[in-house]
Amino acid sequence: TGCASCTLMLKDYPTLFAKGEGDERQQAEQLAKKVVHITEGAPDLIAAHAVIAGMAKPEDHGAIGLLGASMHPSKAVFSPLEGKDVVIWAHSDSSGTKAAEAWTKTLFGVARSVVVFKAEDILPGHKDLNDLVASQTGMRAILSKLKEVGHA
């Protein structure tokens, strides 16, 4: 489903372009090497792309969205993230926290590193990444947190 196709696409994206096809293939190869932001739900996925666009080097980041906290992809589904740095944007509720914990456990031994951010830990009163991005000071706070962990 969604999570499998997104993670597999990151790995296989360069194969859609013939060798020597130029810029498009190089861009696809770079996308396959990114810091990967994992979000819960489509609005946060769109927000993750806004965050990435605001970074000094947006080309070093990619994003995938899991359709909800109840999704629990296997290590096999996450295998295209092998060796990548992963940022999980958890919702600030018990379901979001449990999902982030489960995803982190599954990514252990696959990803090079995993960091989890909850919106309420970045700016109190915010429930998810989408709320943070919509906030007047949210983007600055997000980029500051990412810089602290070396992912900005």
Side-chain angles (χ1 to χ4, degrees), residues 45-70:
L45 176 60
I46 294 167
H49 284 283
V51 170
I52 291 166
M55 295 184 155
K57 294 186 75 175
E59 66 274 10
D60 289 343
H61 297 263
I64 61 173
L66 299 179
L67 299 179
S70 63

Side-chain angles (χ1 to χ4, degrees), residues 80-110:
L81 303 181
E82 184 176 353
K84 295 182 183 352
D85 295 311
V86 174
V87 176
I88 297 174
W89 295 98
H91 282 196
S92 296
D93 58 20
S94 62
S95 295
T97 299
K98 288 177 187 174
E101 289 170 358
W103 300 339
T104 299
K105 286 179 186 175
T106 304
L107 285 161
F108 182 78
V110 176

Side-chain angles (χ1 to χ4, degrees), residues 30 38 51 74 76 108:
Q30 288 302 313
I38 297 178
V51 170
S74 66
F108 182 78

